[in-house]
């Protein structure tokens, strides 16, 4: 038994050597990527098969001779290869290793049994790879290895001319050979840990892609050369690339990093591989590719950016070292390019939406402008005979009012400037209706900026449909209150109160074309701030207000 234990320890030493060699291979990036992949190319399968076949053949030479047999880890190697990489690798490794064992000892008492068990081990382990879930393969591997070694022992007893000779061999080698198959589990778990590392890396790379998307998102709100340069800088720094670039289908839009001083932004796309990526829409990886502007670059990843399934440009990542572009990094970069494509498409849609909003705002403004012009002119005409000085004053007020309207933009203006325009309007209305129209200005928040021509229609509504509905003098209050996190702009009147149906019509977008003033302001406020006017009937009177967030 001591002899058998000694052989088991020596087998474990050889298995430890195999484990060490496999571990070192997993530290080499190229081999690590191969071990991490689910699917392999023909070249990769050839490399894997060659590695395990060499290990299996060498195990025969490093075996411990016992009465014409060899105590070795050949079956350990064969079973591990099939379980980890499938039937093709397992069967080839098993057949070649078994044939080699037979050829180095033709006529030996154990050469044929070893050949048969090696070939069967390759087939069975390949089937386990196909049919058994990954988490359980190491257990099945140990069981398969032990079963194959047991088969070897049975074949030795059956095929040895003398049962006594066969039993003498089996009694000495059975225990170390069968027990040594525990090493199959260690090898399988080692390689599977590398595969698990792939999942962890993929998780980190996915998080990295989302972080990059998060940081670049603000720069997609308005795409220009500066924002694209910021985006390229973030990508370069995050993935530790030497340079990044973005192009459209014809020109370079941004370039950041190594060789930046030699890159002409706005120049045409000159690289043939970039043109090919744009033409085919396929992701391109190139090693040692000579780029016209950056001769020191060794690794290039070019990812087409698409909008509505059409290539609109590329994202390019450069490295000065060759073969640093790992599979996980490529997968991350591909996911990132898809995110960037989506963000660019959303940005383009937002630009179109903003342009449409500006056009709509302009249309709304032009509807409001001439609303009270004819009444004002009639008032001035009547004053030219009775009070020429007052008529001249009103002409100046009307001129200022109309000039303000003609110079309108969709930009927000200081509230005090808007108030001046309201005062010009109120002066004309007071000339018509005298003491019946009174206006109070309660502007507490003076630093706020509001859309132009937003207050006057509300004041007009408060006068015409509020205080003038009553025979007694009325008061309109215009206020701007600081409420901490927001500014509230309000117009309140002391009239009889707005009809509930009018409030409902405004909110339901069912306003009559004859009463568009209030509705137009509601639409503009909703377009700009996301929420329209708040309209409240008081006792008596009406309050209309909207809030402006401090952040906005």
């Amino acid at each position: 038994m001591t002899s058998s234990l000694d052989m088991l320890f020596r087998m474990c030493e050889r298995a430890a050597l195999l484990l060490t060699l496999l571990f070192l291979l997993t530290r080499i990036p190229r081999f690590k990527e191969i071990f991490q992949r689910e699917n392999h190319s023909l070249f990769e399968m050839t490399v894997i098969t060659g590695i395990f076949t060499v290990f299996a053949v060498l195990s025969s030479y490093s075996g411990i001779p016992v009465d014409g047999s060899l105590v070795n880890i050949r079956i350990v190697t064969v079973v591990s290869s099939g379980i980890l990489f499938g039937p093709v690798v397992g069967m080839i490794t098993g057949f070649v290793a078994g044939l080699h064992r037979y050829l180095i000892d033709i006529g030996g008492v154990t050469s044929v049994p070893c050949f048969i068990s090696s070939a069967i081990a390759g087939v069975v382990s390949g089937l386990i790879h196909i049919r058994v879930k990954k988490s359980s393969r190491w257990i099945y591997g140990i069981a398969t290895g032990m079963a194959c070694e047991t088969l070897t022992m049975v074949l030795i007893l059956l095929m040895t001319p003398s049962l006594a000779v066969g039993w003498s061999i089996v009694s000495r080698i059975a225990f170390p050979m069968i027990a040594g198959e525990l090493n199959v589990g260690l090898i399988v778990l080692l390689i599977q840990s590398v595969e698990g590392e792939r999942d962890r890396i993929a998780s980190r790379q996915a998080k990295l892609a989302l972080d990059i998307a998060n940081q670049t998102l603000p720069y997609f709100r308005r795409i220009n050369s500066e924002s694209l340069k910021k985006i390229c800088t973030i990508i370069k720094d995050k993935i530790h690339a030497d340079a990044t670039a973005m192009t459209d289908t014809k020109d370079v839009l941004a370039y950041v990093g190594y060789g930046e001083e030699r890159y002409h932004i706005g120049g045409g796309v000159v690289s043939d591989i970039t043109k090919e990526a744009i033409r085919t829409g396929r992701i391109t990886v190139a090693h040692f590719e000579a780029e016209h502007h950056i001769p020191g670059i060794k690794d290039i990843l070019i990812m087409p950016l698409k909008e509505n399934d059409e290539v609109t440009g590329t994202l390019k990542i450069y490295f000065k070292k060759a073969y640093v572009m790992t599979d996980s990094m490529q997968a991350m970069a591909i996911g990132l390019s898809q995110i960037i494509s989506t963000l660019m498409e959303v940005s383009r849609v937002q630009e179109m939406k903003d342009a449409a909003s500006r056009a709509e705002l302009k249309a709304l403004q032009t509807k409001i402008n001439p609303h009270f012009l004819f009444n004002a002119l009639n008032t001035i005409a009547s004053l030219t005979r009775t009070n020429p000085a007052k008529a001249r004053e009103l002409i100046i007020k009307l001129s200022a009012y109309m000039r303000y309207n003609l110079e309108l933009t969709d930009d927000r203006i200081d509230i005090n400037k808007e108030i001046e325009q309201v005062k010009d309007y109120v002066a004309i209305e007071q000339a018509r209706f005298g003491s019946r129209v009174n206006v109070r200005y309660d502007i507490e928040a003076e630093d706020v900026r509001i859309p132009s021509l937003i207050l006057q229609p509300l004041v007009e509504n408060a006068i015409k449909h509020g205080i003038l509905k009553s025979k007694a003098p009325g008061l309109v209050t215009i206020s701007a209150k600081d409420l901490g996190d927001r500014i509230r702009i309000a117009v309140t009147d002391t009239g009889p109160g707005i009809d509930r149906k009018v409030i409902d019509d405004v909110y339901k977008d069912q306003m009559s074309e004859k009463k568009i003033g209030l509705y137009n302001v509601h639409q503009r406020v909703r377009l700009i701030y996301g929420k329209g006017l708040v309209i409240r009937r008081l006792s008596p009177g009406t309050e209309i207000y909207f809030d402006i967030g401090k952040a906005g």
Side-chain angles (χ1 to χ4, degrees):
M1 182 61 69
T2 304
S3 174
S4 294
L5 282 174
D6 181 60
M7 283 188 283
L8 177 60
F9 290 143
R10 291 168 69 181
M11 271 192 68
C12 289
E13 287 177 357
R14 285 153 178 77
L17 177 61
L18 174 58
L19 277 165
T20 302
L21 291 172
L22 285 173
F23 176 78
L24 291 175
L25 284 177
T26 63
R27 298 302 95 189
I28 300 173
R30 294 287 289 170
F31 283 104
K32 186 176 183 178
E33 285 185 32
I34 292 174
F35 289 147
Q36 286 178 338
R37 288 196 185 116
E38 290 282 352
N39 302 307
H40 300 87
S41 65
L42 178 61
F43 172 75
E44 290 169 345
M45 291 291 281
T46 303
V47 170
I48 293 168
T49 303
I51 290 171
F52 279 93
T53 300
V54 168
F55 285 155
V57 168
L58 290 178
S59 68
S60 295
Y61 289 112
S62 63
I64 306 163
V66 178
D67 296 337
S69 67
L70 290 171
V71 177
N72 59 67
I73 58 169
R74 183 182 61 259
I75 295 295
V76 172
T77 309
V78 172
V79 172
S80 299
S81 69
I83 285 180
L84 289 168
F85 299 104
V88 174
V89 176
M91 287 190 292
I92 293 175
T93 303
F95 180 81
V96 173
L99 181 62
H100 170 266
R101 173 67 181 83
Y102 172 77
L103 292 176
I104 64 173
D105 188 25
I106 297 176
V109 292
T110 60
S111 58
V112 174
C114 288
F115 171 71
I116 294 172
S117 62
S118 296
I120 291 174
V123 174
V124 174
S125 61
L127 291 174
I128 291 172
H129 175 86
I130 294 172
R131 297 187 177 182
V132 176
K133 62 182 182 180
K134 189 178 292 185
S135 61
S136 301
R137 287 177 188 170
W138 68 278
I139 300 174
Y140 279 80
I142 293 172
T144 300
M146 289 182 170
C148 289
E149 289 293 14
T150 301
L151 175 63
T152 305
M153 301 304 120
V154 172
L155 290 174
I156 290 173
L157 290 173
L158 293 175
M159 301 180 73
T160 304
S162 169
L163 184 59
V165 172
W167 178 251
S168 174
I169 296 171
V170 170
S171 64
R172 296 185 63 190
I173 70 172
F175 173 71
M177 293 284 279
I178 295 172
E181 295 306 309
L182 291 169
N183 291 294
V184 173
L186 296 176
I187 293 172
V188 171
L189 289 174
L190 170 67
I191 300 301
Q192 285 184 344
S193 71
V194 176
E195 294 177 352
E197 188 178 344
R198 173 198 63 199
D199 296 333
R200 290 191 295 275
I201 291 172
S203 176
R204 288 198 299 269
Q205 299 287 30
K207 183 179 182 301
L208 177 60
L210 290 175
D211 286 345
I212 292 173
N214 253 352
Q215 290 191 27
T216 56
L217 179 60
Y219 300 104
F220 281 101
R221 289 171 185 161
R222 189 176 294 275
I223 295 178
N224 52 44
S225 59
E226 283 303 312
S227 65
L228 290 177
K229 189 172 182 179
K230 287 282 189 182
I231 292 166
C232 286
T233 301
I234 291 170
I235 295 171
K236 180 184 79 69
D237 293 343
K238 279 288 186 180
I239 66 176
H240 306 294
D242 291 298
T244 55
M246 293 183 75
T247 76
D248 57 18
T249 55
K250 295 180 180 179
D251 300 317
V252 177
L253 303 178
Y255 183 95
V256 173
Y258 175 76
E260 186 175 349
E261 67 282 356
R262 287 172 283 178
Y263 227 97
H264 175 55
I265 304 302
V269 173
V270 295
S271 151
D272 289 336
I273 57 171
T274 303
K275 292 176 181 177
E276 181 67 12
I278 292 171
R279 187 183 67 80
T280 62
R282 289 198 297 265
I283 292 161
T284 303
V285 181
H287 308 289
F288 299 102
E289 183 71 29
E291 286 265 288
H292 178 68
H293 290 291
I294 39 177
I297 293 298
K298 297 292 189 286
D299 255 15
I300 305 170
L301 177 62
I302 303 173
M303 295 154 290
L305 302 176
K306 298 180 179 181
E307 296 179 33
N308 297 321
D309 291 328
E310 289 189 12
V311 177
T312 57
T314 64
L315 171 63
K316 302 167 72 175
I317 299 174
Y318 302 87
F319 292 91
K320 290 192 285 185
K321 290 183 179 179
Y323 298 107
V324 296
M325 193 76 68
T326 62
D327 283 346
S328 58
M329 184 179 292
Q330 289 181 39
M332 184 278 295
I334 291 166
L336 179 61
S337 71
Q338 292 169 345
I339 292 173
I340 289 176
S341 293
T342 302
L343 290 176
M344 292 188 74
E345 192 165 352
V346 169
S347 175
R348 208 79 67 191
V349 170
Q350 187 61 43
E351 285 180 6
M352 294 170 65
K353 182 180 175 182
D354 289 345
S357 295
R358 286 193 294 270
E360 187 172 351
L361 288 176
K362 203 68 178 175
L364 291 175
Q365 287 172 335
T366 57
K367 287 180 182 178
I368 296 171
N369 289 340
H371 198 78
F372 81 116
L373 180 59
F374 293 114
N375 286 335
L377 290 175
N378 284 335
T379 300
I380 293 170
S382 66
L383 287 172
T384 53
R385 288 189 294 271
T386 60
N387 192 344
K390 186 66 174 177
R392 284 194 297 271
E393 180 186 340
L394 290 181
I395 289 172
I396 294 171
K397 296 286 187 184
L398 179 61
S399 172
Y401 173 83
M402 296 305 297
R403 185 183 304 109
Y404 178 89
N405 288 354
L406 290 173
E407 293 174 354
L408 282 177
T409 68
D410 59 342
D411 294 329
R412 300 177 197 186
I413 62 170
D414 186 278
I415 192 170
N416 292 305
K417 188 174 181 182
E418 181 78 357
I419 290 294
E420 288 302 316
Q421 191 255 2
V422 169
K423 287 180 177 179
D424 290 335
Y425 165 78
V426 168
I428 294 170
E429 293 293 72
Q430 285 176 331
R432 292 179 63 202
F433 301 106
S435 61
R436 292 177 63 193
V437 175
N438 300 279
V439 178
R440 184 168 67 92
Y441 302 93
D442 184 12
I443 309 303
E444 177 185 302
E446 296 189 352
D447 294 333
V448 66
R449 299 178 71 81
I450 62 174
S452 59
L453 198 59
I454 207 83
L455 285 180
Q456 184 271 330
L458 297 181
V459 174
E460 180 179 353
N461 183 79
I463 292 173
K464 287 181 60 179
H465 303 290
I467 60 177
L468 291 181
K469 293 290 184 180
S470 173
K471 293 182 179 180
L475 174 66
V476 174
T477 302
I478 304 166
S479 64
K481 298 289 186 180
D482 190 333
L483 302 182
D485 61 337
R486 63 194 187 280
I487 303 294
R488 175 162 295 176
I489 309 296
V491 175
T492 308
D493 67 71
T494 59
I498 191 169
D499 192 326
R500 182 71 239 180
K501 184 178 183 305
V502 174
I503 299 176
D504 292 339
D505 287 346
V506 170
Y507 289 157
K508 293 177 182 178
D509 297 327
Q510 295 176 350
M511 205 67 178
S512 166
E513 288 188 6
K514 295 180 179 179
K515 300 179 181 180
I516 62 169
L518 181 61
Y519 177 63
N520 283 342
V521 175
H522 174 69
Q523 278 188 299
R524 289 184 62 199
V525 170
R526 185 168 57 187
L527 279 169
I528 296 168
Y529 297 112
K531 185 178 180 181
L533 296 173
V534 176
I535 307 171
R536 296 173 57 220
R537 181 185 173 102
L538 306 177
S539 296
T542 303
E543 180 186 33
I544 300 175
Y545 69 84
F546 61 93
D547 291 337
I548 303 173
K550 287 285 185 70

